[in-house]
Amino acid sequence: MNQMPLKSNRGSLLPGTVFGIAPSDVIEDILIGLANDNELSLDHLSEHTGSFKQPKVIELVFLLSKHWGQDNSTKYQAVELLDRFMIFHVEELYKSSARSLNRRWDLMKANLCNMFILHLVSCIQITSKLHFHYNIVNNHMVLQFLRSADYSYKKEDVLRSELTVLKTLNFQINIHSPLTYVEILLEVLGHNGCSLRLKDMHEICVMVLDLVYLLRTPMYDAVLKASMDLSTPTSLQRSTFLPVKEDHMLLGTGVISASTFIIHPDSWNQKESIGQWKPWKRRDLYENLQKSLKGSECLKDAVLET
């Protein structure tokens, strides 16, 4: 009989998010830095970005992160890390197969599928180490889960997989998730006198962001069709829409706006205070919000049902 995967009992010890402590100049520096990082990331998007952000994959990352007592920042960053790693890893293997006559791509692809679950848990392991040194996902926990799912990996396989992720990404693993942008924008709102409780806002924002990840494909399809005013966008239109799907600052503003409307429709206009901060221009912010909020009604209904 399979044993149940080991569960962390330290989830209750996770620190909560605290707002209103950082001085305004620090907040502004962080916001500008994140905006620049976001633009740089969008300038270097792979055409395959997002290919591994499938609903079942995201759901498994979320469930495992919760099971192992991780916080929200870990699960979002693990999804982003996994997507980036798999794109680089597949490209490397495909080029390797093209250079070597003895390495057939179909066999390598089959091995990729077999190793995917191991790479997935490695990404959760790595992000847990980035956030909580006292509450990391250790090898014993990973092996317990894999064995409960009828995988026969050994400790050496787990270590090798983690090293593969790190080397493939050249150890550049501290990837910003949309939650990072949500939290800094909430800080901006608080500094500019938002009357809503930021802790409550943060909780709803996480719920909305969960739904955005899990409903990623239908939500962005709805936004694309609405923005193009077409029922069946072309492949070219879908490819040019990719930067919108991967714009974390845009997503952060949309999540906050949708959350504000859910909590307090009368306070909807308080999102204006984000526009007082550089490097955002208010007109650009409203244009971004308009694009993202075209698909937010389904998120509102889903959150209200929970």
Side-chain angles (χ1 to χ4, degrees):
M1 176 180 288
N2 293 332
Q3 295 181 339
M4 290 296 293
L6 190 63
K7 182 176 182 178
S8 171
N9 58 3
R10 294 167 291 181
S12 60
L13 301 177
L14 295 180
T17 304
V18 180
F19 295 99
I21 295 179
S24 60
D25 56 336
V26 173
I27 296 173
E28 186 165 1
D29 287 344
I30 295 173
L31 180 62
I32 292 173
L34 287 174
N36 291 336
D37 289 346
N38 187 57
E39 290 299 321
L40 184 63
S41 176
L42 294 176
D43 288 340
H44 296 86
L45 280 180
S46 164
E47 62 179 311
H48 304 295
T49 299
S51 297
F52 294 91
K53 295 180 183 178
Q54 299 301 318
K56 292 297 183 182
V57 173
I58 294 172
E59 184 178 7
L60 180 56
V61 172
F62 283 10
L63 290 173
L64 282 175
S65 297
K66 181 179 180 180
H67 185 77
W68 285 329
Q70 300 300 299
D71 80 333
N72 292 309
S73 56
T74 300
K75 67 182 184 184
Y76 297 128
Q77 194 169 13
V79 171
E80 300 298 329
L81 189 70
L82 177 65
D83 185 65
R84 182 173 297 190
F85 160 71
M86 287 301 299
I87 291 169
F88 279 104
H89 190 46
V90 170
E91 288 177 347
E92 283 183 356
L93 292 178
Y94 185 77
K95 291 176 182 178
S96 175
S97 69
R99 290 192 300 265
S100 175
L101 297 177
N102 296 326
R103 305 188 69 181
R104 292 174 52 189
W105 171 240
D106 56 342
L107 296 177
M108 296 176 68
K109 186 165 61 173
N111 186 58
L112 266 173
C113 294
N114 293 333
M115 295 291 291
F116 182 75
I117 187 65
L118 189 56
H119 295 324
L120 183 148
V121 294
S122 292
C123 288
I124 300 176
Q125 267 194 293
I126 292 169
T127 52
S128 76
K129 294 175 182 178
L130 289 174
H131 292 282
F132 300 109
H133 297 291
Y134 68 90
N135 194 28
I136 65 172
V137 179
N138 58 48
N139 293 334
H140 178 58
M141 296 163 69
V142 169
L143 286 171
Q144 189 78 2
F145 160 70
L146 292 171
R147 287 167 184 166
S148 71
D150 288 332
Y151 290 98
S152 57
Y153 294 115
K154 300 178 180 178
K155 183 178 180 180
E156 292 77 13
D157 299 317
V158 174
L159 293 171
R160 191 179 300 111
S161 174
E162 188 174 0
L163 190 58
T164 298
V165 174
L166 294 171
K167 285 185 175 180
T168 301
L169 295 175
N170 197 25
F171 292 86
Q172 297 178 6
I173 55 174
N174 196 14
I175 302 170
H176 299 309
S177 77
L179 183 62
T180 305
Y181 292 85
V182 167
E183 290 178 341
I184 191 62
L185 291 173
L186 286 176
E187 279 282 10
V188 172
L189 284 172
H191 183 83
N192 287 329
C194 175
S195 61
L196 297 175
R197 293 186 68 233
L198 295 184
K199 183 178 179 181
D200 295 339
M201 279 284 293
H202 185 269
E203 292 177 357
I204 298 298
C205 282
V206 169
M207 295 173 66
V208 173
L209 192 55
D210 279 355
L211 287 166
V212 171
Y213 268 89
L214 294 169
L215 301 176
R216 173 184 169 86
T217 300
M219 192 201 77
Y220 279 113
D221 277 350
V223 175
L224 173 59
K225 291 174 182 178
S227 62
M228 298 291 182
D229 198 21
L230 293 170
S231 58
T232 55
T234 65
S235 298
L236 178 60
Q237 289 170 329
R238 290 186 180 278
S239 63
T240 55
F241 188 70
L242 182 61
V244 176
K245 296 173 68 175
E246 297 300 325
D247 191 331
H248 290 174
M249 186 70 83
L250 170 62
L251 178 55
T253 58
V255 165
I256 290 175
S257 298
S259 302
T260 303
F261 185 74
I262 291 169
I263 294 177
H264 200 325
D266 295 337
S267 299
W268 183 254
N269 61 347
Q270 293 200 30
K271 66 180 182 294
E272 287 186 13
S273 58
I274 300 178
Q276 299 171 10
W277 284 70
K278 298 177 181 179
W280 290 99
K281 296 179 181 179
R282 184 174 298 181
R283 183 180 63 183
D284 296 336
L285 176 64
Y286 283 145
E287 290 175 354
N288 286 344
L289 288 171
Q290 185 179 22
K291 291 178 184 177
S292 61
L293 291 174
K294 284 180 180 179
S296 66
E297 284 302 311
C298 63
L299 297 179
K300 174 193 169 186
D301 294 339
V303 170
L304 291 174
E305 289 175 0
T306 58

